[in-house]
Amino acid sequence: AALRPLLALPVSVVVRLCTDEEAVCEYWNRTDDDIELALDVLDDVVGEAGEIKAHSPWLTYSEPLHRLREWGCAEKLLDLLDERSLSLAEMRRLVSFLFGDASADLPDPQLDWAAFESALATLLGKEPQIYDPLRGRMRPMIDVDKLRRAYRGGGGCTLQ
């Protein structure tokens, strides 16, 4: 009820939970599901990494990405990461967001998955690895093998 006045305003709200108390976490997650507000409820980096892995096992969720979400990044795809799997188009937008200008020449995965995968692997080879809080070691930001399994060749257009 306290958040309802914000519905009429152009705002996003980030709630950073600092507890593992189940009732508190469930309350805020229900609120996130129920309210029509741009609301992102965040756990600690390990908790969020686990939630995101359930939907996007190909993405290494790291501290810098977590901090970006805590600070209230305007990219709405980041709010979806812990809620559901991304569509192919959303995955491509996320890759563009994460790698910026370096990803400008990546082929469209809906049109040519093999070329997209190859170009992404080349791009990842030029990037430093990041710390994976779930595995406790350095890893690429994107696991290309898991990405392939998740999107299995692109799922391009179907004409009927």
Side-chain angles (χ1 to χ4, degrees), residues 88-89 92 105-116:
L88 184 61
R92 175 63 175 92
D105 294 330
L106 287 178
D108 186 331
Q110 292 181 338
L111 300 177
D112 189 346
W113 177 266
F116 170 77

Side-chain angles (χ1 to χ4, degrees), residues 68-79:
L68 189 60
R69 290 178 69 207
E70 283 181 328
W71 296 330
C73 180
E75 177 52 68
K76 297 304 173 202
L77 281 175
L78 299 182
D79 186 21

Side-chain angles (χ1 to χ4, degrees), residues 56-113:
S56 299
W58 49 269
L59 179 65
T60 301
Y61 186 77
S62 62
E63 189 84 23
L65 195 52
H66 188 67
R67 293 290 174 240
L68 189 60
R69 290 178 69 207
E70 283 181 328
W71 296 330
C73 180
E75 177 52 68
K76 297 304 173 202
L77 281 175
L78 299 182
D79 186 21
L80 297 177
L81 290 175
D82 62 350
E83 296 176 8
R84 63 173 175 78
S85 297
L86 299 180
S87 70
L88 184 61
E90 290 168 334
M91 176 276 292
R92 175 63 175 92
R93 276 189 25 229
L94 181 65
V95 168
S96 294
F97 175 78
L98 294 173
F99 294 102
D101 291 342
S103 67
D105 294 330
L106 287 178
D108 186 331
Q110 292 181 338
L111 300 177
D112 189 346
W113 177 266

Side-chain angles (χ1 to χ4, degrees), residues 16-22 24-25 43:
R16 172 56 167 92
L17 298 178
C18 298
T19 182
D20 287 330
E21 189 174 326
E22 195 66 29
V24 174
C25 295
D43 196 353

Side-chain angles (χ1 to χ4, degrees), residues 58-61 99 124-125 127-132 135 137-144:
W58 49 269
L59 179 65
T60 301
Y61 186 77
F99 294 102
L124 286 165
E127 294 288 321
Q129 292 192 345
I130 57 176
Y131 183 76
D132 181 342
R135 292 180 179 88
R137 60 186 166 98
M138 303 299 281
R139 297 185 36 84
M141 188 179 302
I142 294 174
D143 183 319
V144 177

